[in-house]
Each structure stands twice: as structure tokens, then as C-alpha cells.
Amino acid sequence: MEFGSHGCSTHRSPRRVHGTHGVGQHGFPGTRKAQALLAYLALTPGRVHARTSLYALLWGDHEDEQARGSLRYALTDIRKGLGEHHPVLCTERDVVYLKPDAVIVDAVEFERLTRSDIPAAVKQAVSLYRGDLLGGMAIRAPTFEEWLSVERERLRNLAIQSLCRQLDAQPDPDMAHCLLGLDPLSEAAHRALMRHYAQSGQWGLAIRQYETCVAALERELGVRPEAETCHLRDRILQRRIGSEETHRSPTRGDTLITDRPSVRIMPFGSVGEVGDLASLASGLGDAIATELARFRDVTVFRSNYADEAQFELDGTVQRLGSHLRLATRLVERKTGWQIWSERYDRAAEDLFMIQDELMATIATTVVSRLTMLVYERAQRRPPQDLHAYECFVQGNRCIDRLDPEAREQARLWFEKALAIDPTFARAHNGMAFVHVQNSNDNVGVTSSLGLDTALQHAEAALDLDPADPRVQYTLAYVCLHRREFERARRHYVRAVELNPNDPIILAHWGLAQAYLGEAEAGLRTLQSALPRMLSPPRWYFTYCARALLLAHRPVESAWQMASLGRLDGPRDLAWYTIACAHAGRAKEASRLAADFVEAARAAWRGDKGAWPAEFGSWFLDATLLARREDCEYLRLGLRDAGLPV
């Protein structure tokens, strides 16, 4: 989907429909609501939409019969606009969707690329963003307008985050200008331009850029620039910046973080108003402090006099017409380096809802940023000098990579953490995950030894710190793999009670709910985790695909699996095979079934003479489903794909 000021249009190529840019602008026929409907369907290719939900989306103020007729007319307009490609639009008695393998959507591609750690992919993602989603579209449909507003802000924030990452990795004046177009208050972008001008000898332009930054911050937020920006200005005034200077501040790595990072939450202020706005600001600061305290990854201070805190979080709230703007930042106190900043704009309707949403978002982001900072700084220190918490963070980063070599490195880091501090519960958590994943690698082998060892570590962690939500979640994870379903449920529920906003816990609980026979509830839990994730990992989307399939939504599941790119592991290939089989994509299911057999044979550690039927039986036995009917649904999919199970 191309982003721009004109909404959406179709661009034809063989069996393809590209994007939603410029509907109406480039001759796409039909009413505005038909154009809006096409855009909505295109942004979720493969997702099946009930007709009743589309009535509510675009014709919520109509009587049922009138809404049904309006939808029929809109679908007719879309078919006319698609011309020879009209088969990509699927309309059944109660549902409507676009075929995912016949649609190219720039917004979907943009979102996929923003999840990448490869600079070229991030740069490509940035190039796809050309402005607000459907910027020229305005229709009288409050539900659609609300959805569009949320999507615009979500995609805009993804673009800003991608630009920041790209700018941090490789300073580029064009990227800096692009970022300022989206966020005029981005000091990182202002600094990048100041350096660019200074290094090219344009000292006056460099200082003028600083003055522009000062004026914008004063006008919008009533604050002064960060210490890093002022330090750069001083170097420019002294003509002490040259091409050899990197874009990073020389003071960023000076402070060691040998234990959990400590954060002082400053009182949040309000700009130019008292009353409800001041109450919101005060309440938001307290709520963030309370929410951060749920995470054992940080130590939280609320006192203004907590001088031992390494970091400081502050923020201001401002009313802008019918909207509220919150600007917040996380600063390292010793160096003045701003680790993170963000600006949130929200409709000023329900202040309590705004507070709840921002509290969770800011807390999870602060934890993610600080954990990453611990890892980066520990990387620059000799291993023998690291403390237990630093070793644990190093191990966690390794285990996230999922490959056996990284897992072995993780095991060594967790063992080192336990050698330094045998009472460190989180290190036992890490060991439990290592043993579960090692057990999962034993394709075709039945043995409880690895899971028994994992349980010992998980129970040891529980004895040491039962109030840590990650400890409860780890024990639940182990119990699920041991098929102790009710025990797993009990500890997952307890973990969510202890921290209802931890995205990792929520994502794993969502998949567990699907395995336990509550797929739709699991999908809702998974969806609640996504906004709280700074950079959603690949496994999150795999979990969503599995939950969709168990909810008997195979078309959406297959689309989600396809969006992940190449799949190599036998488990993922089996899930994809079943989704395509149930979605009626017989040829693709048959091809994937053959890929699954080859992948299973390559990973097989059991009898070397095993047949494809044994590979299928292994998959079904290894899938952690509590209900027989769910297992039979998967078995039927494998059979439809041609596997004798």
C-alpha cells in the first residue's frame, strides 16, 4: 500500500492488485465508501470479514436492510474498478475478503520491513511511507474514521521509529529532514543536521538548525533542548567538530549498569492549563511509576531526592484543540544523554482511558530500552568483570536468536549468573527455557529428561521469587510443554495478574489459550500484546498464525504464515500446510507437505527409516493441544494435503 495524500487506487499487473494510493484521484470508480471498503480489505488481505462487521464499519447509522444494500453496491463498484482482476475479491454468503496471494499492499510490506534489523530493509520501509494513510479520504462513518485515525497514528509511529533507527545506524541528512517532517521535535534529527552542516563547513546553518530546534521545543512543549544537543552546539561554536566525529555522543557509554537499572519518575507537568489536564499529568506520572514497578527489570524511585537513580523519566501534557499531546523522555542523569523520547497525540475524550493506555505503553517501552542498554554496555566489558544481572541479560539476548549455537551461549551465561548469585531467580528462568528448547530439538525422540530439568529450574525460581511475574510465566511455559495443562493455566493466570501489561507474558498466554481450546480469547490476548512491543519478534506472528488456525480461520492463518517469508522448520511448515489445506489451496498445501517431509527428515533424530506418516504423527503428538477435536482438525488438514496420518 502506498502512503500519500490521496487514499487508495489499483495498479494493474498480471494477477496482482497493488496498493491503495489515490483512490478517486486516478480514476477508480465508485463511491467514497466503496473506496474506503477496498482500502480496509486491502490492509488485511486474507482476513475474513463478516458482512455484519462491515455494515457497522461504514453504514452503522443505516437500517439493516439499507446497510445490506449499500454493501452490495459497494462490492459491485469494487469489482468494476478491479476489472480483469476482480476474482481477488471473494464474497461469500456471510463474509468478504481479498485473496492474500493475489494482492500486493505497500502498507503491509512497510510494516513487515519495519520489523527487520537489516539497515537496507529499514531504509526500504522508510521509502514506502509518503504521508498519512488515506490522507485525502473523509467520509461520514464514525467507526471507520476512528479505525482510520488509529491506523494512521500507528503507521506514522512505525515510520518515526524506523527513521530513528536508520538515523542512529547511519546519519543521513535526507533521513533527518524526513524525520523532522513527521516529528518536528525530534532532537536526534536536529542534531544530525547540525553535524551535517558543521562537517561541511556551513557553521551558520548548523547554528540556525539549533535555533530552530530551540524555538520548536519552546513553542510546543515549553522545554529546553537536551544536554547532548547543547553540548553539540558548544562544539560547533568552538569549531571543534569535524568529519572524524561520529554521530554518537562520547559520553554515552561511560556509566556502567551492573544491576537492574534504576529510574526516578519525575512529576509530569501540564502546559498552559490547570484542572483536568494537571490532574491527568499528575496521575499519569504516578500510574507509570506503579506500572514500572511491576517489572523486575528495573528499580523505580518516585522521590525527587533519589540521587542514587541512574535514569530519569519526565513528561509534559498539553491540550491542542480537541487533542492532547504527551511528550516524554528518558534521560541518563550522569551524562544528560537522552536515551528515548516520544510524543503521543490522543483525542481528548476519555482521560482515564488515555491514562491507562499511555501508562502501559510507556512502561513497557522504558523497560525494553533500558534492558537493551544494559546489554550494549555489557558487550563492551570483559566477561570476567560482569555481574549476575549483566550475565542474565547477555543470555537472554542469545536465547532470543533460537538457534542451537546461540542457545549454548545462553546456557553458559545463565550458569555464570547463577555461579555469581545462586539466588537469582531469573537465571533459573533462563536455564528452564534452554532445556525446553533443547527438548524441542529432539525431533522424533520421546524423552522427558530435558523437560524434567527445565521443571527443576522453574520450580527453583518460584521458590526464590514467587512474586516475579516472569517466574510464574516460565513455570507455566514449562508445564504447558509437559502437558500439565491445568497447572500451566494456573501459573499463566497468576503471571498476568502480577503484570497485566508485560507483552511477552501476554503473547505466550495468548498462544496457550489457543492450545487450551480458547482460540478466540487467545487471539484477543495476542492482539493486546502487540501495541506494547517495541519491535515485535518473528515468533509473535507465528503464534498469531497458529491461534488463527485453531480458531478455524485458515485463510488468515495462511496469509500470516506467508508474510513471515521463508519457513524452514518442520513445525512451522506443518502449520502452514494445514492452513493452506483448510483454506482450499490444495496445490500449495501439497507442495508444503512435501517441504514438511523433507524438513522433518533433515531434523529427525529417531529411527532413520521413518516414513512420512511417522513425521506427521510426530507433529501431532508434539503439538500441545488440550482438546482432541483440535488435534483432529490438524490431522484432517495433513490428510487433505496428502500426508497419510
Side-chain angles (χ1 to χ4, degrees):
M1 167 176 227
E2 293 187 2
F3 303 88
S5 59
H6 303 301
C8 77
S9 74
T10 58
H11 303 277
R12 297 182 184 174
S13 60
R15 300 180 60 80
R16 291 300 206 202
V17 178
H18 295 256
T20 55
H21 175 66
V23 165
Q25 178 77 6
H26 300 297
F28 187 91
T31 65
R32 280 187 171 271
K33 286 196 175 180
Q35 298 161 10
L37 176 59
L38 175 59
Y40 183 75
L41 295 173
L43 279 164
T44 54
R47 179 177 172 184
V48 177
H49 300 276
R51 287 177 180 259
T52 52
S53 70
L54 298 178
Y55 303 157
L57 180 74
L58 289 162
W59 298 280
D61 56 345
H62 289 37
E63 296 294 333
D64 288 350
E65 187 61 36
Q66 186 181 4
R68 281 193 289 270
S70 297
L71 177 60
R72 284 196 300 270
Y73 285 127
L75 292 172
T76 300
D77 284 343
I78 291 174
R79 287 193 188 92
K80 290 179 180 177
L82 294 176
E84 64 183 285
H85 301 297
H86 69 86
V88 306
L89 176 65
C90 299
T91 56
E92 299 173 8
R93 180 176 180 181
D94 297 318
V95 299
V96 178
Y97 62 93
L98 292 183
K99 291 182 179 178
D101 55 351
V103 180
I104 295 175
V105 186
D106 285 0
V108 175
E109 179 68 4
F110 161 79
E111 196 164 350
R112 183 186 69 81
L113 290 168
T114 60
R115 300 197 294 266
S116 174
D117 292 326
I118 302 172
V122 176
K123 193 167 186 177
Q124 185 180 352
V126 170
S127 71
L128 288 174
Y129 190 91
R130 301 184 184 87
D132 279 344
L133 176 69
L134 306 177
M137 179 166 286
I139 60 174
R140 294 181 60 185
T143 304
F144 177 82
E145 289 289 345
E146 181 180 354
W147 168 82
L148 181 58
S149 176
V150 170
E151 282 298 293
R152 282 173 175 167
E153 182 171 358
R154 185 178 68 83
L155 293 171
R156 180 185 177 88
N157 285 337
L158 279 176
I160 289 172
Q161 292 168 14
S162 298
L163 280 164
C164 287
R165 287 164 55 196
Q166 181 68 15
L167 202 57
D168 194 49
Q170 184 179 358
D172 183 314
D174 292 335
M175 290 289 177
H177 281 298
C178 187
L179 178 54
L180 285 177
L182 293 171
D183 182 8
L185 304 182
S186 171
E187 293 195 50
H190 284 291
R191 287 194 295 268
L193 289 175
M194 289 166 65
R195 286 191 189 89
H196 168 70
Y197 293 137
Q199 289 169 357
S200 59
Q202 302 179 78
W203 304 101
L205 285 178
I207 293 301
R208 192 176 304 165
Q209 189 67 47
Y210 170 78
E211 292 170 347
T212 300
C213 174
V214 172
L217 291 170
E218 179 63 34
R219 180 178 62 254
E220 296 292 334
L221 303 177
V223 299
R224 297 287 298 166
E226 303 159 9
E228 187 175 352
T229 307
C230 296
H231 175 72
L232 178 59
R233 173 209 57 192
D234 293 342
R235 291 180 62 79
I236 290 171
L237 288 172
Q238 298 165 17
R239 303 293 197 269
R240 290 176 54 200
I241 186 169
S243 60
E244 75 284 354
E245 180 174 291
T246 68
H247 66 287
R248 294 183 179 273
S249 166
T251 63
R252 289 189 180 187
D254 288 350
T255 303
L256 301 181
I257 312 173
T258 58
D259 202 348
R260 294 186 301 166
S262 53
V263 186
R264 180 171 74 179
I265 310 300
M266 300 298 291
F268 278 39
S270 57
V271 177
E273 189 175 334
V274 294
D276 288 347
L277 196 63
S279 298
L280 172 64
S282 175
L284 188 57
D286 291 340
I288 292 170
T290 300
E291 189 60 32
L292 270 175
R294 295 179 185 271
F295 292 85
R296 294 303 183 89
D297 307 84
V298 296
T299 301
V300 179
F301 295 97
R302 302 193 195 198
S303 170
N304 291 348
Y305 306 103
D307 291 333
E308 62 268 42
Q310 298 162 294
F311 303 94
E312 187 171 283
L313 180 73
D314 63 20
T316 57
V317 182
Q318 182 179 12
R319 189 182 298 276
L320 299 171
S322 62
H323 282 67
L324 295 179
R325 171 171 294 171
L326 167 67
T328 185
R329 62 181 182 176
L330 179 67
V331 177
E332 186 172 39
R333 297 182 64 215
K334 179 179 178 180
T335 64
W337 171 46
Q338 180 172 290
I339 298 164
W340 166 77
S341 66
E342 188 57 271
R343 188 181 68 194
Y344 304 92
D345 291 332
R346 296 291 186 272
E349 296 173 353
D350 189 332
L351 297 187
F352 289 108
M353 186 177 295
I354 292 172
Q355 179 173 303
D356 289 345
E357 178 209 346
L358 294 179
M359 165 196 74
T361 300
I362 292 170
T364 53
T365 302
V366 167
V367 170
S368 297
R369 292 287 185 179
L370 289 180
T371 303
M372 176 60 73
L373 190 63
V374 173
Y375 170 75
E376 290 173 349
R377 293 189 178 176
Q379 286 281 87
R380 299 197 288 267
R381 299 181 61 209
Q384 64 271 20
D385 292 345
L386 299 181
H387 292 231
Y389 181 75
E390 295 173 289
C391 293
F392 164 73
V393 171
Q394 294 275 69
N396 245 14
R397 293 290 294 176
C398 290
I399 207 168
D400 282 346
R401 301 211 302 268
L402 300 179
D403 60 273
E405 294 78 11
R407 196 181 310 138
E408 177 60 18
Q409 293 176 6
R411 182 186 66 80
L412 295 173
W413 281 117
F414 294 141
E415 287 181 345
K416 182 175 174 62
L418 287 171
I420 297 170
D421 181 3
T423 66
F424 190 14
R426 285 287 185 92
H428 281 292
N429 281 1
M431 290 296 292
F433 275 98
V434 167
H435 286 288
V436 169
Q437 292 181 12
N438 283 341
S439 177
N440 288 342
D441 279 351
N442 289 325
V443 177
V445 176
T446 302
S447 173
S448 64
L449 181 60
L451 293 179
D452 291 343
T453 306
L455 182 63
Q456 291 171 8
H457 280 289
E459 289 179 336
L462 186 70
D463 290 340
L464 289 166
D465 195 353
D468 185 343
R470 288 287 181 98
V471 166
Q472 294 282 347
Y473 135 74
T474 301
L475 181 53
Y477 178 82
V478 173
C479 291
L480 183 66
H481 281 77
R482 292 172 59 86
R483 297 179 176 276
E484 299 175 14
F485 295 121
E486 287 309 310
R487 190 182 182 193
R489 179 193 296 275
R490 187 166 65 251
H491 287 288
Y492 271 124
V493 169
R494 181 58 180 149
V496 174
E497 288 174 349
L498 289 169
N499 191 347
N501 288 309
D502 186 321
I504 303 301
I505 294 175
L506 288 173
H508 280 267
W509 171 225
L511 180 65
Q513 285 176 292
Y515 285 165
L516 294 171
E518 303 163 9
E520 290 293 348
L523 283 169
R524 290 192 294 272
T525 303
L526 280 161
Q527 289 165 3
S528 72
L530 182 59
R532 296 166 170 78
M533 289 182 167
L534 192 62
S535 180
R538 179 186 174 91
W539 57 256
Y540 168 81
F541 300 98
T542 302
Y543 285 10
C544 290
R546 294 182 183 184
L548 283 165
L549 185 57
L550 292 171
H552 291 210
R553 292 159 62 176
V555 173
E556 294 168 83
S557 176
W559 172 80
Q560 184 73 78
M561 295 295 284
S563 71
L564 293 171
R566 181 177 174 81
L567 301 173
D568 296 315
R571 286 182 174 84
D572 285 345
L573 284 167
W575 284 95
Y576 195 8
T577 299
I578 296 165
C580 288
H582 282 302
R585 293 154 59 176
K587 289 184 178 179
E588 190 170 358
S590 178
R591 176 183 61 79
L592 288 166
D595 292 344
F596 160 70
V597 169
E598 290 305 309
R601 181 175 285 118
W604 197 255
R605 296 185 181 180
D607 181 3
K608 293 302 181 184
W611 289 82
E614 293 175 76
F615 300 151
S617 296
W618 158 78
F619 167 74
L620 293 172
D621 291 341
T623 303
L624 310 171
L625 301 179
R627 299 194 312 169
R628 182 182 297 276
E629 53 264 45
D630 288 333
C631 189
E632 288 305 311
Y633 180 70
L634 299 190
R635 187 189 306 277
L636 179 61
L638 290 176
R639 285 176 178 167
D640 288 347
L643 285 173
V645 290

